[in-house]
Amino acid sequence: MMAIEPDEAVLPRRRFGALSNLPMSRAEKVCWIVAAIGVACVAAPFVFEESLEPLGDLRWVGVLLGALIAPTAAISSFLFRGRAKGRASLLDDKSLLAHWTFPAETWAGFVGEDDTRERRAKWRLFAIIAFWCVLFAIAFPLFDPEDGWWVSVVMAGVLVVLALVIVVGSSARTRRLGRNSTEARIGPDGLLLAGELHLWRGWGARLEGVDVVTGHPPCLEITYSTPAKNQRQITTVRVPVPAGCDAEAAEVAARLIEKIG
């Protein structure tokens, strides 16, 4: 995931003449601060060797941590920079394929329907994970009556954490969508839906499919993928189509499908 960044909300809502002149976002600043701290942790035992000698081997723990977080934070800053540029381009009306606003009643209906659909999909995935967790929780104590119950405890903890993530995460997203501006900005390379940013270009992201689906209201369904550890992570987002914009939605879908080809 991966779709809303609070740090990006601090970008001024204005038209940027040149994306290269974008001010540094809060996330970028945090990343560079963390990177600087990491570099300091690596250098400190060598620069202040005598002063830090009483810490003993603890100094080298700091070196290892610094060597890990410094490059990670530096790379992450470029990721956030790319997302900031994507957001800025979507705030420029000239580059948009469509810019829709929605009546309060239509938006409320969409948010409710989207919340139900998202929760249903997440609980289906939870059921699959729960099956294996319960299986291991039962099997391990049978094979190892003395220590196997620890596995049962861990499996139970995993299920509790996952359930909390689903409940809290879904509720937070629904509140955020209901609280933000009821507009959708669709560009060739991304979407800004009520402040929720989706990009399907850059950093290995790619567009996978686009369709117009029926419903109340009908929606433009966009599917894209991003690199994950062992496979690509698939994200599907629905954009409600305002009344009278069916033809425009079909045109937007056609133009995005051209990008897939």
Side-chain angles (χ1 to χ4, degrees), residues 203-249:
W203 292 84
R206 70 175 180 230
L207 194 60
E208 300 288 353
V210 184
D211 196 9
V212 179
V213 297
T214 58
H216 302 284
C219 293
L220 181 67
E221 186 177 80
I222 302 173
T223 300
Y224 66 94
S225 65
T226 50
K229 182 178 180 181
N230 297 318
Q231 59 185 359
R232 299 187 67 81
Q233 179 179 335
I234 303 296
T235 301
T236 299
V237 58
R238 288 191 174 190
V239 184
V241 178
C245 293
D246 295 345
E248 184 180 6

Short mmCIF file of all heavy atoms in Angstrom, two decimals, residues 203-249:
data_model
loop_
_atom_site.label_atom_id
_atom_site.label_comp_id
_atom_site.label_asym_id
_atom_site.label_seq_id
_atom_site.Cartn_x
_atom_site.Cartn_y
_atom_site.Cartn_z
N TRP A 203 8.36 4.13 -10.18
CA TRP A 203 8.74 3.19 -9.13
C TRP A 203 8.13 1.80 -9.36
O TRP A 203 7.73 1.12 -8.43
CB TRP A 203 8.35 3.72 -7.75
CG TRP A 203 9.14 4.92 -7.34
CD1 TRP A 203 8.88 6.22 -7.69
CD2 TRP A 203 10.34 4.96 -6.57
NE1 TRP A 203 9.83 7.06 -7.17
CE2 TRP A 203 10.75 6.32 -6.47
CE3 TRP A 203 11.10 3.98 -5.93
CZ2 TRP A 203 11.88 6.70 -5.78
CZ3 TRP A 203 12.23 4.36 -5.24
CH2 TRP A 203 12.62 5.71 -5.16
N GLY A 204 8.04 1.42 -10.62
CA GLY A 204 7.57 0.08 -10.95
C GLY A 204 6.07 -0.09 -10.99
O GLY A 204 5.59 -1.19 -11.27
N ALA A 205 5.31 0.96 -10.73
CA ALA A 205 3.85 0.86 -10.77
C ALA A 205 3.38 0.79 -12.22
O ALA A 205 4.01 1.34 -13.12
CB ALA A 205 3.22 2.06 -10.08
N ARG A 206 2.26 0.11 -12.43
CA ARG A 206 1.73 0.04 -13.79
C ARG A 206 0.22 -0.16 -13.74
O ARG A 206 -0.32 -0.75 -12.79
CB ARG A 206 2.39 -1.08 -14.59
CG ARG A 206 2.02 -2.49 -14.16
CD ARG A 206 2.63 -3.54 -15.07
NE ARG A 206 2.27 -4.88 -14.65
CZ ARG A 206 3.13 -5.87 -14.47
NH1 ARG A 206 4.43 -5.66 -14.66
NH2 ARG A 206 2.71 -7.07 -14.11
N LEU A 207 -0.44 0.31 -14.76
CA LEU A 207 -1.88 0.19 -14.90
C LEU A 207 -2.21 -1.21 -15.39
O LEU A 207 -1.59 -1.71 -16.34
CB LEU A 207 -2.38 1.25 -15.88
CG LEU A 207 -3.89 1.51 -15.94
CD1 LEU A 207 -4.42 1.98 -14.60
CD2 LEU A 207 -4.17 2.57 -17.01
N GLU A 208 -3.20 -1.86 -14.76
CA GLU A 208 -3.54 -3.24 -15.11
C GLU A 208 -4.88 -3.36 -15.83
O GLU A 208 -5.06 -4.24 -16.66
CB GLU A 208 -3.56 -4.11 -13.85
CG GLU A 208 -2.24 -4.18 -13.10
CD GLU A 208 -1.19 -5.00 -13.82
OE1 GLU A 208 -1.53 -5.63 -14.83
OE2 GLU A 208 -0.03 -4.99 -13.37
N GLY A 209 -5.83 -2.50 -15.49
CA GLY A 209 -7.14 -2.62 -16.11
C GLY A 209 -8.04 -1.45 -15.77
O GLY A 209 -7.88 -0.82 -14.71
N VAL A 210 -8.96 -1.14 -16.66
CA VAL A 210 -9.91 -0.05 -16.45
C VAL A 210 -11.27 -0.51 -16.98
O VAL A 210 -11.35 -1.13 -18.05
CB VAL A 210 -9.48 1.24 -17.20
CG1 VAL A 210 -10.43 2.39 -16.88
CG2 VAL A 210 -8.05 1.61 -16.85
N ASP A 211 -12.33 -0.21 -16.24
CA ASP A 211 -13.66 -0.62 -16.67
C ASP A 211 -14.69 0.34 -16.06
O ASP A 211 -14.42 0.99 -15.04
CB ASP A 211 -13.94 -2.05 -16.22
CG ASP A 211 -15.13 -2.67 -16.95
OD1 ASP A 211 -15.62 -2.05 -17.92
OD2 ASP A 211 -15.58 -3.76 -16.55
N VAL A 212 -15.82 0.43 -16.70
CA VAL A 212 -16.95 1.17 -16.15
C VAL A 212 -17.96 0.13 -15.66
O VAL A 212 -18.45 -0.68 -16.44
CB VAL A 212 -17.59 2.09 -17.21
CG1 VAL A 212 -18.78 2.82 -16.60
CG2 VAL A 212 -16.56 3.09 -17.73
N VAL A 213 -18.25 0.14 -14.36
CA VAL A 213 -19.11 -0.87 -13.77
C VAL A 213 -20.43 -0.23 -13.33
O VAL A 213 -20.48 0.94 -12.93
CB VAL A 213 -18.44 -1.55 -12.56
CG1 VAL A 213 -17.19 -2.29 -13.01
CG2 VAL A 213 -18.06 -0.53 -11.48
N THR A 214 -21.49 -0.99 -13.40
CA THR A 214 -22.80 -0.49 -13.01
C THR A 214 -22.92 -0.46 -11.49
O THR A 214 -22.22 -1.17 -10.78
CB THR A 214 -23.90 -1.38 -13.59
OG1 THR A 214 -23.71 -2.74 -13.13
CG2 THR A 214 -23.87 -1.36 -15.11
N GLY A 215 -23.82 0.36 -11.01
CA GLY A 215 -24.05 0.48 -9.58
C GLY A 215 -24.81 1.74 -9.28
O GLY A 215 -25.32 2.41 -10.19
N HIS A 216 -24.91 2.06 -8.01
CA HIS A 216 -25.61 3.28 -7.58
C HIS A 216 -24.67 4.09 -6.71
O HIS A 216 -24.63 3.91 -5.49
CB HIS A 216 -26.88 2.91 -6.81
CG HIS A 216 -27.84 2.06 -7.60
ND1 HIS A 216 -28.64 2.58 -8.59
CD2 HIS A 216 -28.12 0.74 -7.53
CE1 HIS A 216 -29.39 1.62 -9.10
NE2 HIS A 216 -29.09 0.49 -8.47
N PRO A 217 -23.88 4.98 -7.29
CA PRO A 217 -23.83 5.32 -8.73
C PRO A 217 -22.92 4.36 -9.49
O PRO A 217 -22.18 3.59 -8.89
CB PRO A 217 -23.23 6.72 -8.70
CG PRO A 217 -22.28 6.67 -7.53
CD PRO A 217 -22.97 5.82 -6.49
N PRO A 218 -22.94 4.42 -10.85
CA PRO A 218 -21.96 3.67 -11.63
C PRO A 218 -20.56 4.20 -11.34
O PRO A 218 -20.40 5.35 -10.93
CB PRO A 218 -22.37 3.94 -13.08
CG PRO A 218 -23.15 5.22 -13.03
CD PRO A 218 -23.86 5.20 -11.71
N CYS A 219 -19.56 3.35 -11.53
CA CYS A 219 -18.21 3.72 -11.15
C CYS A 219 -17.21 3.40 -12.25
O CYS A 219 -17.39 2.45 -13.03
CB CYS A 219 -17.78 2.99 -9.88
SG CYS A 219 -18.70 3.47 -8.40
N LEU A 220 -16.16 4.20 -12.30
CA LEU A 220 -15.01 3.91 -13.13
C LEU A 220 -14.05 3.11 -12.26
O LEU A 220 -13.56 3.61 -11.24
CB LEU A 220 -14.36 5.21 -13.61
CG LEU A 220 -13.13 5.08 -14.51
CD1 LEU A 220 -13.52 4.48 -15.85
CD2 LEU A 220 -12.48 6.45 -14.71
N GLU A 221 -13.80 1.87 -12.62
CA GLU A 221 -12.96 0.98 -11.81
C GLU A 221 -11.57 0.90 -12.42
O GLU A 221 -11.40 0.50 -13.57
CB GLU A 221 -13.60 -0.40 -11.74
CG GLU A 221 -12.86 -1.36 -10.81
CD GLU A 221 -13.56 -2.70 -10.70
OE1 GLU A 221 -13.40 -3.53 -11.62
OE2 GLU A 221 -14.30 -2.91 -9.72
N ILE A 222 -10.58 1.29 -11.63
CA ILE A 222 -9.19 1.33 -12.10
C ILE A 222 -8.37 0.37 -11.25
O ILE A 222 -8.40 0.43 -10.03
CB ILE A 222 -8.62 2.75 -12.00
CG1 ILE A 222 -9.47 3.73 -12.83
CG2 ILE A 222 -7.16 2.79 -12.46
CD1 ILE A 222 -9.07 5.18 -12.65
N THR A 223 -7.65 -0.52 -11.93
CA THR A 223 -6.79 -1.48 -11.24
C THR A 223 -5.34 -1.24 -11.65
O THR A 223 -5.03 -1.14 -12.84
CB THR A 223 -7.19 -2.92 -11.59
OG1 THR A 223 -8.55 -3.14 -11.20
CG2 THR A 223 -6.30 -3.92 -10.86
N TYR A 224 -4.46 -1.11 -10.65
CA TYR A 224 -3.04 -0.96 -10.93
C TYR A 224 -2.24 -1.81 -9.96
O TYR A 224 -2.78 -2.31 -8.96
CB TYR A 224 -2.63 0.52 -10.84
CG TYR A 224 -2.74 1.14 -9.47
CD1 TYR A 224 -1.64 1.18 -8.61
CD2 TYR A 224 -3.93 1.70 -9.03
CE1 TYR A 224 -1.74 1.76 -7.35
CE2 TYR A 224 -4.04 2.29 -7.78
CZ TYR A 224 -2.94 2.31 -6.94
OH TYR A 224 -3.05 2.88 -5.69
N SER A 225 -0.99 -2.00 -10.27
CA SER A 225 -0.14 -2.85 -9.41
C SER A 225 1.16 -2.13 -9.09
O SER A 225 1.62 -1.27 -9.84
CB SER A 225 0.14 -4.19 -10.10
OG SER A 225 0.93 -3.99 -11.27
N THR A 226 1.74 -2.52 -7.97
CA THR A 226 3.02 -1.96 -7.53
C THR A 226 3.91 -3.12 -7.07
O THR A 226 3.41 -4.16 -6.65
CB THR A 226 2.83 -0.98 -6.36
OG1 THR A 226 2.02 -1.60 -5.35
CG2 THR A 226 2.14 0.29 -6.83
N PRO A 227 5.23 -2.97 -7.17
CA PRO A 227 6.12 -4.06 -6.76
C PRO A 227 5.97 -4.38 -5.28
O PRO A 227 5.81 -3.49 -4.44
CB PRO A 227 7.52 -3.49 -7.06
CG PRO A 227 7.30 -2.42 -8.06
CD PRO A 227 5.96 -1.83 -7.74
N ALA A 228 5.98 -5.66 -4.96
CA ALA A 228 5.96 -6.13 -3.57
C ALA A 228 7.13 -7.10 -3.40
O ALA A 228 7.94 -7.29 -4.31
CB ALA A 228 4.63 -6.79 -3.24
N LYS A 229 7.20 -7.74 -2.25
CA LYS A 229 8.36 -8.58 -1.94
C LYS A 229 8.50 -9.74 -2.91
O LYS A 229 9.54 -9.92 -3.52
CB LYS A 229 8.25 -9.09 -0.50
CG LYS A 229 9.44 -9.93 -0.06
CD LYS A 229 9.31 -10.38 1.37
CE LYS A 229 10.51 -11.22 1.79
NZ LYS A 229 10.40 -11.70 3.20
N ASN A 230 7.44 -10.55 -3.03
CA ASN A 230 7.52 -11.75 -3.87
C ASN A 230 6.63 -11.68 -5.11
O ASN A 230 6.76 -12.49 -6.01
CB ASN A 230 7.13 -12.98 -3.05
CG ASN A 230 8.09 -13.23 -1.90
OD1 ASN A 230 9.29 -13.10 -2.05
ND2 ASN A 230 7.54 -13.56 -0.73
N GLN A 231 5.72 -10.73 -5.15
CA GLN A 231 4.82 -10.59 -6.28
C GLN A 231 4.30 -9.16 -6.31
O GLN A 231 4.61 -8.38 -5.42
CB GLN A 231 3.65 -11.58 -6.18
CG GLN A 231 2.82 -11.40 -4.92
CD GLN A 231 1.75 -12.46 -4.79
OE1 GLN A 231 1.61 -13.32 -5.63
NE2 GLN A 231 0.98 -12.39 -3.71
N ARG A 232 3.53 -8.82 -7.32
CA ARG A 232 3.01 -7.47 -7.43
C ARG A 232 1.76 -7.32 -6.58
O ARG A 232 0.91 -8.21 -6.53
CB ARG A 232 2.72 -7.14 -8.89
CG ARG A 232 3.97 -7.19 -9.76
CD ARG A 232 3.68 -6.69 -11.15
NE ARG A 232 3.38 -5.26 -11.16
CZ ARG A 232 4.30 -4.30 -11.14
NH1 ARG A 232 5.58 -4.60 -11.09
NH2 ARG A 232 3.95 -3.03 -11.17
N GLN A 233 1.64 -6.18 -5.91
CA GLN A 233 0.46 -5.88 -5.11
C GLN A 233 -0.58 -5.20 -5.99
O GLN A 233 -0.31 -4.19 -6.62
CB GLN A 233 0.82 -4.97 -3.94
CG GLN A 233 -0.37 -4.59 -3.07
CD GLN A 233 0.03 -3.72 -1.90
OE1 GLN A 233 1.17 -3.76 -1.45
NE2 GLN A 233 -0.91 -2.93 -1.40
N ILE A 234 -1.77 -5.78 -6.01
CA ILE A 234 -2.85 -5.28 -6.84
C ILE A 234 -3.74 -4.34 -6.03
O ILE A 234 -4.16 -4.68 -4.92
CB ILE A 234 -3.69 -6.43 -7.42
CG1 ILE A 234 -2.80 -7.39 -8.22
CG2 ILE A 234 -4.81 -5.89 -8.29
CD1 ILE A 234 -2.17 -6.78 -9.44
N THR A 235 -4.03 -3.18 -6.57
CA THR A 235 -4.93 -2.21 -5.94
C THR A 235 -6.04 -1.86 -6.93
O THR A 235 -5.76 -1.54 -8.07
CB THR A 235 -4.18 -0.93 -5.53
OG1 THR A 235 -3.13 -1.26 -4.63
CG2 THR A 235 -5.13 0.06 -4.88
N THR A 236 -7.27 -1.94 -6.47
CA THR A 236 -8.42 -1.56 -7.29
C THR A 236 -9.15 -0.42 -6.59
O THR A 236 -9.48 -0.52 -5.41
CB THR A 236 -9.38 -2.74 -7.50
OG1 THR A 236 -8.69 -3.79 -8.19
CG2 THR A 236 -10.58 -2.32 -8.33
N VAL A 237 -9.37 0.65 -7.33
CA VAL A 237 -10.06 1.82 -6.77
C VAL A 237 -11.24 2.16 -7.68
O VAL A 237 -11.14 2.06 -8.90
CB VAL A 237 -9.10 3.02 -6.63
CG1 VAL A 237 -8.48 3.39 -7.95
CG2 VAL A 237 -9.81 4.22 -6.03
N ARG A 238 -12.34 2.52 -7.06
CA ARG A 238 -13.54 2.90 -7.82
C ARG A 238 -13.79 4.40 -7.69
O ARG A 238 -13.67 4.96 -6.60
CB ARG A 238 -14.76 2.13 -7.33
CG ARG A 238 -14.74 0.66 -7.71
CD ARG A 238 -16.08 0.01 -7.43
NE ARG A 238 -16.13 -1.36 -7.93
CZ ARG A 238 -17.24 -2.08 -7.98
NH1 ARG A 238 -18.39 -1.56 -7.58
NH2 ARG A 238 -17.21 -3.31 -8.45
N VAL A 239 -14.14 5.01 -8.81
CA VAL A 239 -14.45 6.43 -8.85
C VAL A 239 -15.90 6.58 -9.28
O VAL A 239 -16.27 6.13 -10.37
CB VAL A 239 -13.55 7.19 -9.83
CG1 VAL A 239 -13.83 8.69 -9.78
CG2 VAL A 239 -12.08 6.89 -9.55
N PRO A 240 -16.77 7.17 -8.46
CA PRO A 240 -18.17 7.34 -8.88
C PRO A 240 -18.27 8.24 -10.10
O PRO A 240 -17.54 9.23 -10.23
CB PRO A 240 -18.83 7.97 -7.65
CG PRO A 240 -17.71 8.61 -6.89
CD PRO A 240 -16.51 7.75 -7.13
N VAL A 241 -19.18 7.90 -11.00
CA VAL A 241 -19.40 8.69 -12.20
C VAL A 241 -20.61 9.60 -11.99
O VAL A 241 -21.71 9.11 -11.71
CB VAL A 241 -19.64 7.78 -13.42
CG1 VAL A 241 -19.93 8.61 -14.67
CG2 VAL A 241 -18.45 6.86 -13.64
N PRO A 242 -20.43 10.91 -12.05
CA PRO A 242 -21.56 11.82 -11.84
C PRO A 242 -22.65 11.61 -12.90
O PRO A 242 -22.39 11.12 -14.00
CB PRO A 242 -20.93 13.21 -11.98
CG PRO A 242 -19.47 13.00 -11.79
CD PRO A 242 -19.18 11.63 -12.32
N ALA A 243 -23.86 11.98 -12.55
CA ALA A 243 -24.98 11.87 -13.48
C ALA A 243 -24.69 12.69 -14.74
O ALA A 243 -24.24 13.83 -14.66
CB ALA A 243 -26.26 12.36 -12.81
N GLY A 244 -24.93 12.08 -15.89
CA GLY A 244 -24.72 12.76 -17.15
C GLY A 244 -23.30 12.69 -17.67
O GLY A 244 -22.99 13.27 -18.72
N CYS A 245 -22.41 12.00 -16.97
CA CYS A 245 -21.00 11.92 -17.38
C CYS A 245 -20.63 10.52 -17.86
O CYS A 245 -19.44 10.16 -17.87
CB CYS A 245 -20.08 12.34 -16.22
SG CYS A 245 -20.20 14.07 -15.76
N ASP A 246 -21.62 9.72 -18.23
CA ASP A 246 -21.34 8.35 -18.67
C ASP A 246 -20.42 8.34 -19.90
O ASP A 246 -19.49 7.53 -19.98
CB ASP A 246 -22.64 7.62 -18.98
CG ASP A 246 -23.51 7.43 -17.75
OD1 ASP A 246 -22.97 7.62 -16.63
OD2 ASP A 246 -24.70 7.11 -17.88
N ALA A 247 -20.71 9.20 -20.86
CA ALA A 247 -19.89 9.24 -22.07
C ALA A 247 -18.46 9.67 -21.76
O ALA A 247 -17.49 9.11 -22.30
CB ALA A 247 -20.52 10.19 -23.09
N GLU A 248 -18.32 10.64 -20.87
CA GLU A 248 -16.98 11.09 -20.49
C GLU A 248 -16.23 9.98 -19.77
O GLU A 248 -15.03 9.78 -20.00
CB GLU A 248 -17.08 12.32 -19.58
CG GLU A 248 -15.73 12.91 -19.22
CD GLU A 248 -15.84 14.12 -18.32
OE1 GLU A 248 -16.97 14.44 -17.87
OE2 GLU A 248 -14.80 14.76 -18.05
N ALA A 249 -16.93 9.22 -18.91
CA ALA A 249 -16.30 8.11 -18.20
C ALA A 249 -15.81 7.05 -19.18
O ALA A 249 -14.71 6.50 -19.03
CB ALA A 249 -17.28 7.49 -17.20
#
